[in-house]
Amino acid sequence: MISIPKKIIEKIAEHAKRDYPIEACGYLTGKDGVVSDIIKMTNTDKSNEHFSFDPNEQFQAVKYARSRGESLIAVYHSHPETPARMSKEDIRLANDVNMKYIIYSVKDDDIKCFSIDKDKNVSEVKIAPV
Ligand SMILES: [Zn+2]
C-alpha cells in the first residue's frame, strides 16, 4: 500500500493534463510508504508513448528528497491515450524493486500504482488517499 495525499493526486492529474498530449513524469518523495511531496520533471523524450528524465533534474530531485530526510519512493507518469497500466516498455524500464510506479491515465481520469519484483512480475499496489 502507498499513502498519497489527495492534493498530490490532484497535482499529478493537473500535470498530466497540462503536458497532454505528451507524457508527464515526475517523482514522489516520502518515507515508509507515505508520500509527502511531488517533484514535476521534464519528459526529455517529448513523446506521447514514453518518457525519460533529465539526469541533472534527477540529481536535484534526489538531493531535495535527502534534504527532507526522505527518498524518492515513487515515479509517476501519464498515459495520455491509454489506460493506467504498465506497458511493455514501462516494465522493461522498471528496474527498482523498492520503487513504486504510478500511472495516471488522462483518457480514463484513473490513477494506479504498481511494483515489480526481480523477475519483472508486476503487482498492483493499493493507493490510500489521505
Ligand atoms: Zn507508460
Side-chain angles (χ1 to χ4, degrees):
M1 198 172 77
I2 184 166
S3 297
I4 311 179
K6 280 198 194 81
K7 223 190 208 166
I8 289 179
I9 293 177
E10 281 163 19
K11 280 184 184 171
I12 294 171
E14 273 167 28
H15 185 198
K17 287 169 190 164
R18 188 195 74 191
D19 284 11
Y20 183 90
I22 284 170
E23 283 195 7
C25 56
Y27 284 114
L28 302 181
T29 73
K31 62 179 172 187
D32 305 326
V34 180
V35 169
S36 71
D37 208 356
I38 175 172
I39 305 173
K40 293 174 186 173
M41 303 280 285
T42 305
N43 178 359
T44 57
D45 288 347
K46 308 246 173 285
S47 161
N48 60 352
E49 288 176 340
H50 48 89
F51 70 96
S52 294
F53 289 138
D54 172 76
N56 187 50
E57 279 185 19
Q58 251 177 326
F59 176 73
Q60 294 302 329
V62 172
K63 239 172 74 171
Y64 174 75
R66 276 194 195 146
S67 75
R68 297 164 57 91
E70 299 175 344
S71 54
L72 305 176
I73 62 171
V75 175
Y76 72 87
H77 74 280
S78 66
H79 281 179
E81 310 288 358
T82 55
R85 15 169 218 263
M86 296 280 275
S87 68
K88 276 191 189 133
E89 184 72 355
D90 291 335
I91 296 167
R92 193 177 69 77
L93 295 171
N95 287 311
D96 187 346
V97 297
N98 297 310
M99 188 60 89
K100 301 287 185 286
Y101 296 91
I102 291 171
I103 300 174
Y104 173 77
S105 166
V106 180
K107 176 178 154 278
D108 298 338
D109 187 27
D110 186 24
I111 189 163
K112 288 204 165 74
C113 181
F114 304 92
S115 63
I116 52 142
D117 68 15
K118 59 177 175 29
D119 299 317
K120 297 257 179 178
N121 296 305
V122 176
S123 343
E124 190 171 342
V125 176
K126 199 176 163 338
I127 297 176
V130 286

